């Protein structure tokens, strides 16, 4: 039977606790903070295209006053 090697080699830990004895919840909170600090900025959502607005105009989906107008005002 052939030996299957793991796809990735283990890497160094992201951080280590050098003082104190944090519990699982404290470590999870610390990991969440560290991961949010070093990550790339999220991409901006794409703006609606011209085609989107033309389609809304053809379907006469422009906002109009009355009950439920706030629902129609969101794309």
């Amino acid at each position: 039977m052939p030996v299957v090697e793991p796809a990735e080699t283990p890497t160094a830990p992201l951080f280590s606790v050098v003082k104190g004895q944090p519990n699982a919840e404290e470590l999870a909170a610390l990991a969440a903070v560290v991961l949010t600090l070093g990550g790339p900025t999220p991409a901006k959502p794409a703006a609606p295209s011209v085609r989107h607005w033309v389609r809304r105009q053809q379907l006469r989906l422009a906002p109009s006053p009355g009950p439920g107008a706030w629902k129609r005002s969101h794309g």
Side-chain angles (χ1 to χ4, degrees):
M1 187 171 243
V3 176
V4 178
E5 295 291 326
E8 295 181 20
T9 58
T11 58
L14 182 61
F15 60 88
S16 62
V17 178
V18 294
K19 188 173 182 181
Q21 296 178 340
N23 61 26
E25 290 82 14
E26 292 169 333
L27 284 175
L30 178 61
V33 170
V34 169
L35 290 174
T36 58
L37 292 176
T41 57
K44 291 182 181 178
S49 66
V50 172
R51 182 176 177 178
H52 169 80
W53 293 110
V54 169
R55 178 80 174 143
R56 288 185 62 83
Q57 194 174 29
Q58 288 173 343
L59 294 174
R60 297 187 178 159
L61 295 176
S64 56
W70 67 273
K71 291 181 185 176
R72 292 188 303 273
S73 68
H74 291 67

